[in-house]
Amino acid sequence: MKRVMIGCFAHETNEFNPNRTGLDEFRIRELFFGDEVVAKRRNTATELGGMIEVLERNGVEIVPSVSAFAMPAGPVTVGAMETVLGAM
């Protein structure tokens, strides 16, 4: 059986905004890890929802990593970046 790792890390960064975007800002909007990614994104009109639908329909094993979204703000902090990318 084929296996595909899925995940998403989305943030619109404004370099002129002095407010950094940390993990708390991702938690407010969306921060899911592991199986929670599939449970929360299945049957949604989102990029991950579409991936899940196609992969499941084709019998592909999904290896979920992380789904992280934050509102537009200043640059993402190193700690937040390491946490999200580390989950991938």
Side-chain angles (χ1 to χ4, degrees):
M1 173 184 276
K2 291 183 182 181
R3 299 175 71 204
V4 174
M5 190 275 290
I6 64 169
C8 187
F9 187 14
H11 181 256
E12 181 181 330
T13 299
N14 176 347
E15 286 290 329
F16 299 107
N17 187 330
N19 299 315
R20 298 295 185 234
T21 305
L23 276 179
D24 286 341
E25 285 70 35
F26 285 94
R27 285 186 189 104
I28 290 168
R29 180 80 182 250
E30 178 172 319
L31 186 59
F32 306 138
F33 294 96
D35 292 336
E36 188 178 26
V37 173
V38 175
K40 299 283 189 176
R41 292 286 124 219
R42 180 184 280 125
N43 299 318
T44 61
T46 63
E47 295 88 346
L48 283 174
M51 286 184 230
I52 292 164
E53 178 183 337
V54 169
L55 294 171
E56 289 181 334
R57 184 180 331 130
N58 289 283
V60 176
E61 180 184 352
I62 297 171
V63 180
S65 60
V66 63
S67 181
F69 289 88
M71 293 297 290
V76 177
T77 65
V78 171
M81 182 80 73
E82 288 174 345
T83 297
V84 173
L85 294 180
M88 289 185 175

